[in-house]
Amino acid sequence: MPRTVFPVFPGRMVRNPRHSQPALFFHIKIASAVCLRHLYAQMKAHTIPPLASLMLVSAGLAYLAASPVRALAAPPGSCAVINHGAVQASAHGVTYQNTTVRTPDGSTTLTVKQMHYTAPEGDDDSIQNQADAASLLLVSAMTGHHNAACSDWLQQQGQSVAKGLKAGGTYDLAWSSAAISRGTAHVGIGSAHLKLEGSTTAHTSAATLGLTGLSFRNVANQDLLPTTAHAAFSLPASELPALMAAIGGKAEQAPAVHVTISSFDAQRDTVQLKGNGTATLTGNVNATSASGHLEITELESLIEKARAAQQMKLAAGLVLARLVSHTQNGANVWNTSWEGGVLTVNGFPLPLK
């Protein structure tokens, strides 16, 4: 097992990271738990795990990549304002230079130096809308900013995209030099790469997503957040429309989305987190459930990092986690489940409400 990877710890975009309220380590990192909290109102009382956001983003992006060739309407102005610089397009792909996505009130912005998207077939109009929707999903999932004006547009696309997934095919979406800002908070992304494979028999999509060169400023627990993260997972195409609507803004109305996580890892310095499992995601964290396997190397270093960042609740949670862990090949190991606000770790129930 590689020795250089880091757990994705709680982090939300706030003006002053010292004012955040980090949840206990396991509340965030149930390895495969991916406890997604969609509502911005919930963000005021809780923190969204970046890995959860990663899963949510990549799930939405994966489905966008398989959309049929039919042209789709651009997002309404009350949802987002999207602009592109130079464009190179064909029936099978498009490359954009200097893309910007901005919320109508100007509080949240995504900039991407270069975006490239390819699909087996498509026309210029539908490809542009797919790429724009992917960017919008990235903003929504990473910041917790959900605008109901976006939901119908995303859900309509999701209904078409599900058909494309069931037809099979391989799709590719990549960003280079991206940045997300919300107020004074800033997240930098050196590169993001998604590859998706549809299925004509299982009607599910298998996705891989990699993020490198992650950096943070004025974000809660920013010294504990990863510099790279990777995930491989799948979920049913039929659940896509509700997922898209949830990302866009109707989080509480979204039915359950079933995710199988074959592997994920995250890293920072010498600390590594990796795991696998399954999760049932909803718009309400109390209705979310998950189970899986989690491993962390260099746990002691992580505890010291939490203490140095004055995140004493998080440090205490990690100490508690260490007490109930097993040791395997130099790593601390847990088998975990999350349901109804109770986390069970290696047989020990840990109520976190």
Side-chain angles (χ1 to χ4, degrees):
M1 180 173 63
R3 295 286 184 179
T4 35
V5 180
F6 178 76
V8 183
F9 283 106
R12 58 175 172 169
M13 302 184 75
V14 295
R15 294 181 181 274
N16 187 340
R18 292 184 179 276
H19 294 168
S20 64
Q21 299 177 2
L24 289 179
F25 163 72
F26 280 116
H27 185 25
I28 345 160
K29 271 294 27 115
I30 308 171
S32 342
V34 194
C35 294
L36 299 176
R37 302 171 188 182
H38 300 288
L39 296 179
Y40 183 65
Q42 286 181 312
M43 290 183 66
K44 296 179 180 178
H46 303 281
T47 57
I48 291 183
L51 184 59
S53 298
L54 169 64
M55 293 295 180
L56 187 59
V57 172
S58 50
L61 302 187
Y63 291 118
L64 285 173
S67 170
V69 300
R70 183 173 63 254
L72 301 171
S78 56
C79 166
V81 179
I82 302 177
N83 295 296
H84 302 285
V87 179
Q88 293 178 318
S90 70
H92 299 284
V94 64
T95 299
Y96 294 112
Q97 306 292 339
N98 302 319
T99 294
T100 62
V101 179
R102 190 181 304 274
T103 56
D105 63 4
S107 64
T108 303
T109 303
L110 164 71
T111 61
V112 183
K113 183 176 181 181
Q114 183 179 86
M115 180 193 308
H116 184 66
Y117 165 73
T118 58
E121 58 182 3
D123 61 31
D124 292 350
D125 290 336
S126 64
I127 287 176
Q128 176 169 330
N129 285 307
Q130 293 161 30
D132 286 349
S135 299
L136 181 59
L137 292 177
L138 180 64
V139 173
S140 296
M142 292 292 285
T143 67
H145 180 79
H146 307 287
N147 182 354
C150 302
S151 294
D152 289 343
W153 180 69
L154 291 171
Q155 185 162 8
Q156 288 171 7
Q157 295 189 65
Q159 292 167 350
S160 297
V161 169
K163 296 179 182 178
L165 287 171
K166 293 175 182 179
T170 300
Y171 308 87
D172 204 277
L173 183 64
W175 286 279
S176 150
S177 299
I180 300 174
S181 297
R182 180 167 177 80
T184 61
H186 176 91
V187 175
I189 304 172
S191 66
H193 182 209
L194 171 76
K195 185 175 183 180
L196 170 71
E197 293 181 307
S199 172
T200 58
T201 55
H203 289 177
T204 60
S205 65
T208 58
L209 179 74
L211 298 173
T212 65
L214 297 172
S215 62
F216 308 89
R217 186 174 68 248
N218 292 333
V219 174
N221 304 321
Q222 61 189 33
D223 293 331
L224 300 175
L225 297 178
T227 55
T228 65
H230 300 83
F233 62 99
S234 64
L235 60 160
S238 60
E239 296 177 349
L240 167 66
L243 175 65
M244 304 272 287
I247 297 174
K250 297 180 180 177
E252 283 187 313
Q253 300 178 30
V257 176
H258 302 86
V259 180
T260 298
I261 305 160
S262 56
S263 67
F264 72 85
D265 63 68
Q267 68 180 41
R268 185 186 186 105
D269 300 330
T270 60
V271 186
Q272 168 177 338
L273 175 146
K274 61 187 301 184
N276 57 74
T278 60
T280 300
L281 310 178
T282 71
N284 181 349
V285 68
N286 292 321
T288 294
S289 62
S291 63
H293 176 79
L294 175 67
E295 299 180 11
I296 298 180
T297 62
E298 301 288 348
L299 180 58
E300 293 299 327
S301 296
L302 182 58
I303 293 172
E304 291 306 313
K305 286 177 180 289
R307 288 171 175 163
Q310 300 299 311
Q311 299 294 344
M312 304 313 295
K313 289 184 179 179
L314 178 57
L318 290 170
V319 171
L320 177 62
R322 181 180 58 191
L323 293 175
V324 297
S325 70
H326 300 312
T327 302
Q328 180 178 315
N329 298 325
N332 292 86
V333 178
W334 302 267
N335 291 314
T336 65
S337 65
W338 163 271
E339 188 170 1
V342 176
L343 175 67
T344 301
V345 182
N346 290 342
F348 291 87
L350 304 174
L352 297 176
K353 286 187 175 179

